[in-house]
């Protein structure tokens, strides 16, 4: 439609961005930095790919999800919360939205009785509560929730399969891998750790040998490392040592990437660096979520040891160590932009429909005024006209 084509040209005008789509098509951008370290650069490159890709190429990022109008036990919602990707405030928002609709939620830190260190639904296994869960959110690994949500009275035995999996709506949010890993180090290896193997030094002061230890051996008090978080949550693979040692150049690494992309393609995707766009896709695909109550995220705040502070000689090392996660981040960012395009197209069509209705109402109103005026004139003329008797 004309509205959709106009939206394609403007793309983000409805989100107060400036001609991002047309600039991408024309290649008019100046890329002011490395995409591994700067979100603006990563987004510009993603725009260029999406704007210039064919329909078959866009299909690699999965079909656009259906709008999830209401969370129900028969069609539950899951937020796969990647660590250090700004999900704590969204958990609070989801909990409030679930309460407002009087549905059962399973959200560690928010739902009564669930500790923040809860990583599975097994606490409610074989209980009536589990069958009523309509909203779940937390550091849950892909597959664990589906197993529990298929349990007991939710579906008949023997019928669980692809159809039931597709009944689960999901959302996840990503962050530039290097920024996420630095945040993970500062929080889980400095703030939360009782002892620090790196003498409590900021990330950007670590040596290359210490970086090796951190990336491949470092684990927090829960037994998790910081590397490849999107794989840890979204791939379905749960062996921590395998996750820390994954290499994108191996057969195992490529198989993991493909599996993770498949799961990302089943979800709505947000980006922590662009809260405005992320709120837009959430409110579109999950209209029951009150995004107005979603608090401000801390990811945009400048902190000591951010990615921009990393020594030049360490940047190559960090890019190598985060290469696999960066591939998945690029994929997720492009899927996010395609979903944002759908949001904009829907808004443009709604505006066009509203404008058409207003025009119709104006025409009908004008015609009604004309008919009423004509009737009034006719009545006046009739009243002023000489009587039949006088004419005779």
């Amino acid at each position: 439609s004309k509205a959709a084509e106009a939206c394609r040209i403007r793309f983000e005008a409805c989100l107060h961005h400036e001609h991002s789509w047309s600039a991408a098509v024309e290649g008019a951008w100046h890329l002011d930095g490395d995409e591994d370290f700067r979100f603006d650069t990563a987004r510009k490159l993603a725009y260029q790919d999406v704007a210039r890709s064919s329909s078959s190429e866009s299909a690699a990022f999965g079909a656009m999800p259906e709008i999830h109008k209401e969370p129900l036990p028969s069609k539950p919602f899951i937020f796969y919360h990647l660590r250090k990707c700004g999900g704590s405030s969204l958990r609070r928002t989801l909990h409030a939205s679930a309460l407002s609709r009087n549905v059962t939620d399973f959200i560690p830190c928010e739902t009564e009785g669930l500790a923040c260190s809860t990583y599975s639904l097994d606490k409610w296994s074989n209980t009536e509560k589990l069958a009523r869960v309509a909203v779940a959110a937390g550091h849950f690994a892909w597959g664990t929730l589906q197993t529990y949500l298929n349990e007991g009275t939710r579906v008949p035995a023997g019928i669980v399969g692809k159809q039931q999996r597709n009944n689960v709506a999901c959302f996840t949010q990503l962050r530039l891998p290097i920024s996420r890993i630095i945040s993970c180090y500062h929080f889980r290896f400095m703030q939360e750790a009782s002892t620090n193997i790196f003498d409590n030094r900021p990330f950007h002061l670590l040596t290359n040998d210490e970086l090796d230890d951190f990336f491949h051996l470092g684990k927090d008090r829960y037994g998790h490392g910081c590397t490849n978080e999107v794989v840890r949550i979204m791939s379905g693979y749960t062996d921590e040592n395998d996750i820390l040692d994954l290499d994108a150049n191996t057969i195992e690494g490529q198989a993991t990437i493909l599996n993770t992309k498949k799961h990302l393609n089943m979800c709505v995707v947000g980006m922590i660096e662009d809260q405005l766009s992320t709120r837009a896709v959430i409110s579109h695909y999950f209209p029951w979520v009150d995004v107005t109550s979603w608090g401000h995220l801390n990811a945009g705040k400048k902190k000591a040891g951010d990615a921009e502070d990393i020594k030049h000689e360490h940047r190559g090392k960090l890019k190598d160590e985060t290469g696999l996660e960066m591939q998945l981040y690029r994929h997720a960012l492009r899927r996010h932009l395609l979903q944002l395009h759908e949001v904009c197209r829907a808004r443009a069509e709604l505006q066009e429909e509203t404008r058409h209705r207003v025009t119709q109402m104006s025409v009908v109103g004008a015609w009604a005024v004309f008919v009423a005026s004509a009737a009034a004139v006719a009545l006046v003329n009739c009243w002023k006209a000489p009587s039949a008797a006088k004419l005779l």
Side-chain angles (χ1 to χ4, degrees):
S1 69
K2 290 183 179 180
E5 182 60 24
C7 179
R8 177 179 175 83
I9 296 172
R10 295 192 306 273
F11 196 72
E12 281 190 296
C14 59
L15 297 173
H16 312 296
H17 290 190
E18 294 182 0
H19 312 298
S20 298
W21 186 266
S22 57
V25 174
E26 296 167 6
W29 273 318
H30 170 66
L31 301 179
D32 51 354
D34 192 322
E35 66 170 329
D36 290 80
F37 295 87
R38 292 185 63 88
F39 174 71
D40 287 346
T41 301
R43 181 169 58 183
K44 287 174 181 178
L45 291 172
Y47 269 129
Q48 290 176 348
D49 285 350
V50 172
R52 296 170 178 174
S53 62
S54 64
S55 57
S56 60
E57 290 171 330
S58 296
F61 303 104
M64 294 299 98
E66 297 179 358
I67 293 177
H68 187 245
K69 295 180 180 179
E70 286 289 341
L72 301 168
S74 59
K75 191 173 179 62
F77 166 89
I78 302 174
F79 169 40
Y80 288 103
H81 180 186
L82 277 61
R83 295 168 181 84
K84 310 313 297 176
C85 287
S88 298
S89 58
L90 181 54
R91 287 200 209 187
R92 290 190 290 272
T93 295
L94 292 171
H95 178 60
S97 296
L99 287 177
S100 69
R101 280 160 175 74
N102 197 29
V103 297
T104 301
D105 64 12
F106 190 97
I107 306 177
C109 291
E110 302 300 330
T111 304
E112 184 178 357
L114 293 182
C116 296
S117 56
T118 302
Y119 301 121
S120 172
L121 272 73
D122 58 358
K123 186 172 183 178
W124 287 4
S125 182
N126 296 315
T127 67
E128 292 183 2
K129 278 186 178 180
L130 185 62
R132 297 198 302 268
V133 171
V135 179
H139 298 312
F140 304 129
W142 182 275
T144 58
L145 293 194
Q146 281 87 340
T147 299
Y148 286 108
L149 292 177
N150 289 336
E151 187 179 289
T153 59
R154 185 175 294 275
V155 291
I159 303 181
V160 177
K162 186 174 181 180
Q163 182 178 4
Q164 176 64 15
R165 172 190 282 190
N166 291 341
N167 277 342
V168 177
C170 55
F171 173 79
T172 191
Q173 181 169 257
L174 280 76
R175 181 179 182 179
L176 269 173
I178 290 177
S179 293
R180 186 196 59 75
I181 283 175
I182 293 171
S183 177
C184 178
Y185 170 82
H186 284 154
F187 181 68
R188 290 160 61 189
F189 287 81
M190 291 180 68
Q191 294 180 36
E192 280 196 337
S194 56
T195 59
N196 189 277
I197 59 174
F198 303 119
D199 301 323
N200 222 39
R201 280 177 291 131
F203 187 87
H204 67 290
L205 297 181
L206 299 183
T207 67
N208 273 335
D209 288 341
E210 289 171 333
L211 287 174
D212 274 331
D213 290 341
F214 166 71
F215 278 112
H216 299 286
L217 301 174
K219 294 179 182 178
D220 63 14
R221 59 180 177 171
Y222 302 109
H224 298 128
C226 287
T227 311
N228 295 326
E229 177 67 10
V230 64
V231 173
R232 185 173 291 105
I233 298 296
M234 299 299 295
S235 70
Y237 304 143
T238 57
D239 188 291
E240 187 64 23
N241 292 325
D242 287 346
I243 291 171
L244 292 176
D245 289 332
L246 276 173
D247 184 344
N249 298 315
T250 64
I251 294 176
E252 294 81 3
Q254 287 301 310
T256 303
I257 288 173
L258 289 174
N259 209 47
T260 307
K261 285 181 178 179
K262 179 181 74 173
H263 295 158
L264 286 170
N265 286 352
M266 297 170 67
C267 294
V268 175
V269 176
M271 315 306 293
I272 189 175
E273 295 91 351
D274 192 342
Q275 294 180 49
L276 189 63
S277 297
T278 297
R279 289 169 190 264
V281 296
I282 290 177
S283 62
H284 177 76
Y285 288 108
F286 309 111
W288 54 271
V289 178
D290 181 14
V291 295
T292 60
S293 66
W294 188 11
H296 179 72
L297 305 180
N298 293 322
K301 295 182 179 179
K302 185 74 173 67
K303 303 173 184 176
D306 276 357
E308 295 177 14
D309 295 327
I310 298 301
K311 297 177 183 177
H312 180 74
E313 58 266 29
H314 288 168
R315 293 197 168 208
K317 171 76 173 173
L318 291 180
K319 291 179 68 171
D320 289 342
E321 295 289 358
T322 60
L324 185 145
E325 188 170 348
M326 190 63 190
Q327 283 193 41
L328 294 168
Y329 179 85
R330 291 190 190 102
H331 178 89
L333 179 55
R334 283 150 181 77
R335 177 165 172 79
H336 171 72
L337 292 180
L338 287 169
Q339 291 173 342
L340 186 61
H341 186 199
E342 180 66 16
V343 172
C344 190
R345 182 197 62 76
R347 287 186 180 184
E349 289 190 345
L350 179 61
Q351 290 173 355
E352 181 72 13
E353 182 181 346
T354 302
R355 185 194 63 79
H356 181 66
R357 286 181 179 178
V358 170
T359 301
Q360 283 186 321
M361 290 174 64
S362 298
V363 170
V364 171
W367 177 251
V369 170
F370 171 76
V371 170
S373 300
V377 170
L379 183 62
V380 170
N381 288 339
C382 181
W383 179 74
K384 288 182 177 180
S387 65
K390 290 183 178 179
L391 288 175
L392 295 172

